[in-house]
Amino acid sequence: MENLTPVAAWRAAFKDGKQRLLAAFAERQRPTPSAARALLRHLAKHVDAQLRALWREAGLPAGSALVAVGGYGRGELFPHSDVDVLVLLPNEAEAHRPGPLKDALERFITTCWDIGLEIGSSVRTLDECLSEAQGDVTVMTALLEARLLAGPSERFEALQAAVTRTVDARSFLRAKTAEMRQRHGKFEDTPYSLEPNCKESPGGLRDLQVLIWVARGAGLGATWDELAAKGLITPFESQQLRRNEDTLCLIRCLLHLAAGRREDRLVFDLQTAVAQRLGLQSTSGVRASELMMRRYYWAAKAVTQLNQILLLNLEERIEGRANVVPRRIDDFFLDRAGLIEVASDDLYQRHPEAILQTFVLYASTWGLKGLSSRTLRALYNARQVMDARWRADPRNRAAFVQLLQLPQGQTHALRLMNQTSVLGRYLWVFRAIVGQMQHDLFHVYTVDQHILMVLRNVRRFFIPEHAHEYAFCSQLAAQWDKPHLLYIAALFHDIAKGRGGDHSTLGADEVRRFARAHKLPKEDAELVAWLVDQHLAFSRVAQKEDLSDPDVIAAFAKTVGTPRRLTALYLLTVADIRGTSPKVWNAWKGKLLEDLYRLTLRHLGGSPMSQDAEIEHRKAEARQLLALRSALPDTEAPLWATLNVSYFARHDAAELAWHARSLWRHLGTATPVVFARPSPVGEGLQVLVYAPDGPDLFARICGYFDGAGFNILDAKIHTTRDGFALDTFQVLGNDPDTHHRDLVPMVEQRLASALTQTTPLPEPRRARLSRRVKSFPTTPRVSLRPDERAQAWVLTVSASDRAGLLYAIARVLARHRIDLQLAKILTLGERVEDSFLVKGASLAQARVQLQLEAELLDAIALPT
């Protein structure tokens, strides 16, 4: 053993060799897919040579073999991918008993790690390999891609032959298909997430590998050309598979290099670096990263389509369904075991009008669960037929409207149309937003996926089985006579994203063109155009305006005009917000939207809100609630005598009663009082604070909630006539599994304690920024303007969200002794749009206004 090369020398040689390969690739001005493929092969060969040298030095028994398995077994290695090897021992070897064999194995594996080769190793005999493979489909998959590195070829050939005999093609197909479905489910069954995994996501490299694994297991081939030779794919499909695989390989290779480690997610931090290595440049309207992601999405979409075709063909061949006699549906289509099959391969060339009829049939016929491989292939090859003349064909326009008007199936049909590229070719304007990212820190889907998600949400309003999810929406939808108009509005509401200009106005123009082309009645056309043009208005008013103000309701009612428009806009708004991100919707937003709907409907019904009458009604209802709680008569009187009209206008009867019942024994106390309860809207806590007023009170409250891990959703701020603050907060914990009822004692005790502090306000804590905020920061904006009556000021703040942001704003207001009347806290993903109604004598001075805005901009700016 004295002649062994020192580990340091091995390590230097391995590192230098790898660095030379990576440096040569990096020197290319614009790397190509072929260059990336060559790098992967050279990296694998470099590792091969190093492992063979170490194997020779380890001194293992002559009958042992070193085998590359898994991805490394394919003979290609990404810059930071795993190196998986199998040490194949003779059956008679005693691998687990102390002795020379075990020492040699430990020496070999330890040396690999010492020189920087982070191998994943398994040590098995032939019999153990077969036993493990039969019980674990992952082991079987790895062995199917095995490649001999060192040792006797006879032993390796025996392994290959045994694996081939052992694999059960049908069981293997079903296992890999189930595995793929489970994997897709983790990524929400879409290739269009904003940070996709280019290996594991739908349409990623793993989907292509599954096809080769299944084909290998069935003995049908190991390359695209071999599969084409067996008739499983066409030569054109083989070419497309290879081309899109090359694109994904290049992107994954550049991703590893940009990260400097194994990283298969196209995270925001790295997208720009990958785009720049591809030679893409940002323009005034489009980021380089967006161009790169569009290229990725198109490749992933093509892989998804081709994966469906080939997998169905493999299933038919392996399961023996190729000879199943299909049932004729009509002159154009057959039913092959529940899948729609074209009657002839050239159906769509001879009858282009049959393309949309395919999806009408799919949506309208019970028992049809998809398209056969023959139909998917026919659609894939009919893309050139779907031209301007095809789009203008009255038969196709009638078929598309028919699809939208069907009693069920629109969501599945339109998604399938998008997956097969038919939707973007029929609605040419839709094609422009396929795979388009949204860098607003609000949406987590590409524009096309968001649109289809919104359409799905609208559709669910009309399905009784989903009434428990959207109770009020389902109630309204049950009275709506033309669901297809809402589907059209959903399809077009964001269709003009990314063009520049107001996408609502541009989208309204597009839907008007659609309505004319498809001969919608004038009244229907005007409604869908209005919905698209105004689709942001409902959420803006509900979440940013003071709904207790009759003028706000009157102005919104004037914008809406009719109860029919109000109902349509409400349904579209709820569907839109819930289709942006799982994190954006909460019960408090739902309550704001529903409150605005009911107030506006009453105004439109001829009963404008009389504030005096409304307040008296609330007071009476609050007194009834107090009586039900066995409160003494006039319990509420001492508190109510200290409050003005705005307090009663901004709280409902249940809140008035809760405040009075909680505070009647604490009025005038110098010690801060805090009461909390589970929020009546169903999520989070409602917190009541009663304390002597002071310029820094709101800041201290925000500081406590920030430090305790609560998000403030809403704040209603009041000052009594005798100088006490009576503030009500809606807060939500960061942990979705939190049982908020259990937190009530803690919040009541600790917040009250925090408000007794008289020390200077501490600096806001510096928390780590999320990756999305770092990559796509929101430009901070501050606006200060008089309200409609010129009696107060409206302060609006827009910024990237982060821990301590609201506290930082509150500190600035406290420093300038600004009185806060109302706070509307709106969080959109990682962006906040907060509105405050404030008062302060100094605000009349222009100099103070400018200074306040400047300090707020400094407070909300991201740390450098």
Side-chain angles (χ1 to χ4, degrees):
M1 296 290 109
E2 294 83 6
N3 296 327
L4 275 178
T5 306
V7 170
W10 285 109
R11 184 167 55 245
F14 176 67
K15 181 179 179 181
D16 291 347
K18 182 175 180 178
Q19 287 301 322
R20 282 196 300 272
L21 292 172
L22 298 181
F25 179 77
E27 288 172 2
R28 290 176 168 270
Q29 187 173 0
R30 186 174 296 181
T32 62
S34 59
R37 286 285 202 184
L39 173 64
L40 305 187
R41 290 193 300 272
H42 291 148
L43 286 172
K45 288 179 180 178
H46 178 59
V47 172
D48 289 353
Q50 203 71 60
L51 284 172
R52 289 188 181 111
L54 296 179
W55 179 263
R56 288 193 297 269
E57 295 290 344
L60 277 108
S64 305
L66 181 63
V67 180
V69 293
Y72 176 44
R74 288 191 292 273
E76 291 186 340
L77 194 62
F78 285 87
H80 297 285
S81 281
D82 295 337
V83 176
D84 293 325
V85 297
L86 163 68
V87 178
L88 183 60
L89 299 174
N91 280 333
E92 62 274 10
E94 300 181 39
H96 306 294
R97 193 178 71 184
L101 176 58
K102 185 176 182 181
D103 292 343
L105 285 170
E106 289 180 351
R107 187 163 53 248
F108 170 71
I109 294 170
T110 301
T111 306
C112 286
W113 279 83
D114 286 345
I115 72 166
L117 253 174
E118 299 178 1
I119 64 169
S121 59
S122 55
V123 181
R124 299 190 183 106
T125 64
L126 177 58
D127 289 346
E128 288 171 340
C129 285
L130 299 180
S131 176
E132 289 285 334
Q134 288 173 331
D136 189 338
V137 70
T138 304
V139 175
M140 177 65 78
T141 304
L143 292 176
L144 282 172
E145 294 190 302
R147 178 170 58 90
L148 180 64
L149 294 174
S153 58
E154 308 85 50
R155 187 163 301 283
F156 176 68
E157 290 165 1
L159 173 67
Q160 285 187 306
V163 169
T164 302
R165 289 193 304 272
T166 301
V167 64
D168 180 298
R170 288 187 179 183
S171 299
F172 187 66
L173 164 68
R174 293 167 187 168
K176 297 312 290 186
T177 304
E179 194 179 81
M180 184 170 71
R181 280 198 300 268
Q182 187 180 50
R183 174 168 49 82
H184 285 182
K186 293 178 181 178
F187 297 96
E188 300 183 4
D189 292 305
T190 176
Y192 298 113
S193 65
L194 297 191
E195 293 183 306
N197 186 308
C198 62
K199 179 182 177 185
E200 302 286 347
S201 289
L205 286 167
R206 183 67 83 203
D207 281 4
L208 296 173
Q209 292 162 4
V210 166
L211 297 172
I212 294 298
W213 292 335
V214 171
R216 276 181 182 266
L220 295 172
T223 66
W224 305 126
D225 288 340
E226 290 176 7
L227 295 181
K230 292 285 179 64
L232 289 159
I233 51 176
T234 66
F236 175 70
E237 289 163 353
S238 172
Q239 176 190 353
Q240 292 299 302
L241 282 163
R242 212 165 21 244
R243 184 170 69 85
N244 288 293
E245 184 179 33
D246 285 346
T247 297
L248 296 177
C249 280
L250 174 59
I251 289 174
R252 187 184 180 207
C253 182
L254 294 175
L255 188 56
H256 276 212
L257 294 175
R261 64 183 187 281
R262 178 178 176 177
E263 177 58 87
D264 295 328
R265 297 167 303 151
L266 277 160
V267 293
F268 294 122
D269 327 35
L270 301 174
Q271 287 175 7
T272 299
V274 174
Q276 290 172 346
R277 287 292 293 124
L278 286 170
L280 302 174
Q281 299 294 325
S282 298
T283 66
S284 57
V286 183
R287 301 170 186 245
S289 59
E290 188 175 344
L291 294 172
M292 184 274 296
M293 291 305 298
R294 178 69 70 90
R295 183 179 298 186
Y296 169 82
Y297 291 134
W298 281 99
K301 183 175 184 179
V303 167
T304 301
Q305 291 176 258
L306 293 165
N307 175 276
Q308 285 181 300
I309 294 172
L310 182 47
L311 195 58
L312 284 170
N313 280 337
L314 287 167
E315 285 179 358
E316 287 185 359
R317 189 75 62 93
I318 295 169
E319 299 280 6
R321 292 203 303 261
N323 297 322
V324 171
V325 178
R327 177 182 65 83
R328 180 169 290 278
I329 298 175
D330 54 30
D331 291 341
F332 287 167
F333 302 106
L334 312 172
D335 177 352
R336 180 182 288 276
L339 300 178
I340 299 174
E341 180 155 293
V342 290
S344 62
D345 291 333
D346 62 348
L347 171 66
Y348 297 136
Q349 276 75 21
R350 291 187 295 107
H351 295 283
E353 72 277 9
I355 294 173
L356 290 186
Q357 290 179 25
T358 307
F359 300 95
V360 173
L361 180 66
Y362 170 67
S364 61
T365 307
W366 186 87
L368 294 177
K369 57 181 184 289
L371 308 181
S372 74
S373 61
R374 190 180 183 190
T375 303
L376 289 169
R377 176 174 289 159
L379 285 172
Y380 191 76
N381 293 325
R383 286 173 296 170
Q384 301 308 315
V385 175
M386 293 181 263
D387 54 14
R389 186 172 63 177
W390 174 77
R391 287 188 285 276
D393 190 326
R395 294 172 296 181
N396 292 329
R397 290 176 172 175
F400 191 74
V401 173
Q402 180 188 358
L403 173 63
L404 294 175
Q405 292 178 335
L406 289 172
Q408 76 282 317
Q410 289 85 0
T411 298
H412 296 301
L414 289 168
R415 281 186 170 174
L416 187 57
M417 287 176 69
N418 192 37
Q419 291 168 10
T420 54
S421 298
V422 174
L423 183 57
R425 290 183 179 273
Y426 180 72
L427 291 179
W428 197 250
V429 65
F430 189 90
R431 181 178 172 83
I433 49 90
V434 172
Q436 179 176 311
M437 298 181 70
Q438 304 187 72
H439 299 300
D440 58 5
L441 300 180
F442 180 30
H443 297 78
V444 299
Y445 308 109
T446 54
V447 181
D448 58 319
Q449 291 301 297
H450 165 66
I451 284 175
L452 293 178
M453 191 77 72
V454 173
L455 190 141
R456 182 208 69 166
N457 291 343
V458 173
R459 173 73 193 122
R460 286 166 86 133
F461 297 155
F462 295 90
I463 301 175
E465 291 81 1
H466 294 285
H468 65 285
E469 298 176 1
Y470 315 95
F472 187 53
C473 291
S474 296
Q475 177 186 337
L476 296 177
Q479 305 166 35
W480 185 263
D481 58 335
K482 295 181 178 180
H484 70 282
L485 298 182
L486 298 181
Y487 304 156
I488 294 171
L491 269 175
F492 281 86
H493 81 285
D494 273 356
I495 210 160
K497 278 278 185 79
R499 292 192 196 174
D502 186 338
H503 77 278
S504 300
T505 302
L506 296 173
D509 292 339
E510 291 292 351
V511 81
R512 288 189 187 97
R513 280 190 278 272
F514 173 89
R516 285 195 299 270
H518 292 77
K519 294 183 169 46
L520 293 187
K522 182 180 179 182
E523 182 182 350
D524 293 348
E526 289 176 351
L527 175 61
V528 293
W530 181 84
L531 285 173
V532 172
D533 187 52
Q534 297 292 325
H535 75 272
L536 298 176
F538 209 115
S539 61
R540 177 183 56 77
V541 174
Q543 298 180 86
K544 291 189 176 184
E545 306 267 353
D546 183 0
L547 302 188
S548 66
D549 187 341
D551 291 343
V552 170
I553 303 302
F556 184 64
K558 183 178 180 181
T559 298
V560 173
T562 68
R564 180 173 174 79
R565 283 188 171 186
L566 175 68
T567 296
L569 187 59
Y570 174 76
L571 293 174
L572 180 62
T573 300
V574 174
D576 188 15
I577 295 176
R578 298 195 72 144
T580 55
S581 164
K583 299 179 181 179
V584 168
W585 180 265
N586 57 52
W588 177 247
K589 287 182 182 176
K591 181 181 184 302
L592 292 176
L593 294 172
E594 187 173 334
D595 286 350
L596 177 57
Y597 177 87
R598 294 184 185 278
L599 291 169
T600 308
L601 183 64
R602 186 170 66 180
H603 192 284
L604 291 171
S607 301
M609 183 169 61
S610 166
Q611 193 172 60
D612 291 341
E614 175 67 22
I615 288 173
E616 289 307 314
H617 176 75
R618 289 183 189 178
K619 286 182 175 180
E621 187 178 346
R623 291 187 182 102
Q624 292 177 353
L625 292 172
L626 286 167
L628 289 174
R629 292 275 188 166
S630 301
L632 295 173
D634 296 326
T635 294
E636 75 287 348
L639 174 65
W640 288 6
T642 67
L643 293 161
N644 57 28
V645 171
S646 66
Y647 167 80
F648 297 100
R650 289 174 182 160
H651 291 280
D652 61 29
E655 290 172 340
L656 297 181
W658 179 49
H659 292 176
R661 189 175 69 253
S662 301
L663 297 177
W664 72 280
R665 288 184 298 183
H666 301 280
L667 296 180
T669 178
T671 304
V673 177
V674 177
F675 292 94
R677 65 177 181 175
S679 176
V681 301
E683 290 179 325
L685 290 176
Q686 192 173 48
V687 181
L688 168 64
V689 176
Y690 180 79
D693 199 11
D696 65 353
L697 180 66
F698 181 68
R700 291 194 185 277
I701 295 171
C702 292
Y704 166 76
F705 284 131
D706 175 54
F710 288 98
N711 293 316
I712 300 176
L713 303 179
D714 187 70
K716 295 175 183 175
I717 313 298
H718 299 282
T719 303
T720 66
R721 292 191 178 99
D722 51 356
F724 281 79
L726 196 164
D727 303 340
T728 310
F729 297 85
Q730 294 282 343
V731 299
L732 186 65
N734 289 322
D735 185 353
D737 297 324
T738 297
H739 296 288
H740 286 88
R741 183 180 297 276
D742 299 338
L743 301 178
V744 167
M746 179 195 76
V747 170
E748 290 180 340
Q749 190 273 323
R750 294 186 182 179
L751 176 54
S753 176
L755 298 183
T756 62
Q757 303 298 315
T758 57
T759 56
L761 292 170
E763 290 291 326
R765 62 191 177 101
R766 295 288 184 175
R768 291 183 60 184
L769 300 178
S770 72
R771 291 183 296 102
R772 293 191 70 185
V773 167
K774 286 181 180 177
S775 301
F776 307 113
T778 298
T779 301
R781 291 187 175 87
V782 173
S783 170
L784 183 66
R785 57 180 174 80
D787 71 351
E788 297 295 332
R789 300 185 183 88
Q791 295 178 348
W793 296 81
V794 177
L795 171 67
T796 58
V797 176
S798 176
S800 297
D801 193 18
R802 68 178 191 276
L805 180 66
L806 186 57
Y807 173 56
I809 295 170
R811 286 180 79 247
V812 175
L813 298 179
R815 193 158 56 241
H816 286 269
R817 308 186 74 81
I818 302 296
D819 295 327
L820 189 63
Q821 305 292 308
L822 181 71
K824 302 283 281 188
I825 313 301
L826 177 57
T827 304
L828 305 170
E830 276 91 352
R831 190 180 89 240
V832 296
E833 299 280 352
D834 296 344
S835 302
F836 307 91
L837 190 66
V838 297
K839 285 185 177 181
S842 61
L843 289 177
Q845 303 174 35
R847 177 183 58 80
V848 174
Q849 294 176 26
L850 292 174
Q851 185 178 356
L852 177 64
E853 291 183 2
E855 291 184 25
L856 284 170
L857 283 172
D858 288 341
I860 66 178
L862 293 177
T864 56

